[in-house]
Amino acid sequence: MKFERIKIQVVTVLLIMSFSISNAQVGDYMQAEPLSQLVSTNLKPVTNTGIVKVPMITWGGDIATILGEMDGIYKSNGLTVSLFKEDDFKKQVQMCLNGETPYLRGTLGMINSAAEAFKGSGTELVVIYQLTWSTGGDAMVVRDGKNLKNIKKIALQMYGPHMDYAANLFNKAGRMNQVEFKWMANLTISDKQAGKAVDPVTAFQEDASLDAAMCIIPDALLLTSNGTIGTGSEGSVKGASILLSTKTASRIICDVYAVRKDYFDANKNSVMSFVKSLLQSEETLRNLTGNKTAQQAKYRQLISEAAEKLMGSSQFTSDAEALLADCEYVGFNGNKSFFTGAGTTRNFNTLNSEIQTAFKSMGLITTALTLKQASWDYTQLVSGLKNAAQTAETKPKFNQSKVAQSVENKINAESTSWEEEGTLFVVEINFEANQSEFSMEQYAADFDLALDIAETNSGALVVIEGHADPLGILKAEKALANNEPDAKSKAEIGQMKQQVKSLSLERAQNVRKSFLQYCKSKKINIDESQFVAVGVGVATPKYNPPRTKEEWAANRRVVFRIKQVEAELEEFSPLD
């Protein structure tokens, strides 16, 4: 499903370069169609041979699954499993319906796209385990000048990992109905069919009408001349750039295991043993990667086996390590939080609701369904784990003082470009004249929206900007220019500007304080360093000058500006 790696791409790129632009064909675009209409829903019993076949996909989260086999963890829990890789999700769904395996492996979006097929067959899907979040492995590449506000056409894989990624971004931007999704059969660079591209990357290279493409990070680097700006050579697209990756939007693509409900009901203890094995494998992997030097031989053995099982050759060890770097394992605490909803808004229920609503509007399902979860007793699952009781500390991503100074420098240098470049989403809060307090009760709806966007994009920087109305200063400047007898001096006007800026900073700080208190009141675990308060003063009013009472009021605002800073992290000094 995910990575057909760079080695394969090199050959394909040469073929692309040899194909002249004048002869380029448009992509083989597909009509959005529910998966339930493309598979046979004739449900067959799960084959009982004593060996349970377990699917994997080419993704870093599956390396822990491989370690469980290598270390004999499944056997220690009374299971005999046979791991196999199947990146064709439609085929994987059919195998599960046919009884060849009780399990289904994919992103939560992919599982949702399959739920209707299982419901139609007479059973359902039960989501039992979360492996990882994608935290860098997936990206949106755009042409020069394109962003979430003006993209009209975007290419992405049908039934792949980017369906819910794209849906979330355009939903948050309020543009779902304004975007045309160009669906394609494959995820990564693939051989053409009848002279037409069958993947988003090749289509983006050849179809100038496409504004954007969803792709895995190696393909994104190819299209953008190694993550900069595409030069138009060596497979890149001139002017193309990475708008954002899951390094920023790090709480959207969620990788999980699901199981057929009929199998779950009849074999709950066995399924629980499988989940316990996955938890133990994840903990073992976490310890192994944290002590690579002392356990170098075992680590190299695992990476070699992962390369063999996921990419077809034990030689692709650097690619296997890259897979690990592109995801975040959630472990016991992450699973408990995700399925119970404790400590996060980015939980099972929230994501399912988002996905089902979006997929129905996109034509990927016909009916919104309530996807089931196992509702595990986590006191039972914790046995056999050594570190599950330890709550992971939220490590600060950013150096608050350095980030604030960097932001102020950028705003002072070019306020207009600051508002546009790298801005993903904006949440505005208006206040009354002379207001300094921002109660949680009064601004709960605004705080909920800001929290949702910030948690979804947990790798982003959230700048809380205080803005003031410039009318008083504009009047003082006019009086000075007209030499009015009671006009303030230039120095006094400068002092006025500084006072207004200081007041706007105070307001931004008060909003930040109230917002963080609101998060604590809801018991949401967030990284406080992600939120930086700055005073903008009168540098960027919405209306200059304000001509009505409404415009005057609109200038008095605090803005949550969600910024993508992947390309300039060195300036924003993230903490290790």
Side-chain angles (χ1 to χ4, degrees), residues 400 454 462 464 512 515-516 526-533 560:
Q400 285 273 305
V462 182
I464 303 176
R512 180 181 184 274
F515 172 75
L516 294 178
I526 60 170
D527 172 15
E528 294 188 8
S529 80
Q530 186 186 7
F531 303 88
V532 178
F560 284 76

Side-chain angles (χ1 to χ4, degrees), residues 386-433:
K386 298 175 183 177
N387 303 316
Q390 299 176 7
T391 302
E393 245 183 82
T394 302
K395 295 182 179 179
K397 293 185 183 74
F398 300 104
N399 183 311
Q400 285 273 305
S401 60
K402 287 186 177 181
V403 169
Q405 186 60 59
S406 178
V407 168
E408 285 201 25
N409 291 342
K410 287 177 175 289
I411 292 173
N412 292 336
E414 185 48 71
S415 56
T416 303
S417 65
W418 161 257
E419 290 191 346
E420 292 297 324
E421 292 176 8
T423 295
L424 299 173
F425 306 101
V426 169
V427 178
E428 287 192 0
I429 294 176
N430 290 103
F431 52 85
E432 299 299 324

Side-chain angles (χ1 to χ4, degrees), residues 510-541:
N510 287 342
V511 169
R512 180 181 184 274
K513 180 180 178 182
S514 185
F515 172 75
L516 294 178
Q517 288 174 341
Y518 181 75
C519 295
K520 288 177 182 177
S521 73
K522 297 191 74 172
K523 297 182 179 179
I524 302 297
N525 302 320
I526 60 170
D527 172 15
E528 294 188 8
S529 80
Q530 186 186 7
F531 303 88
V532 178
V534 297
V536 179
V538 296
T540 58

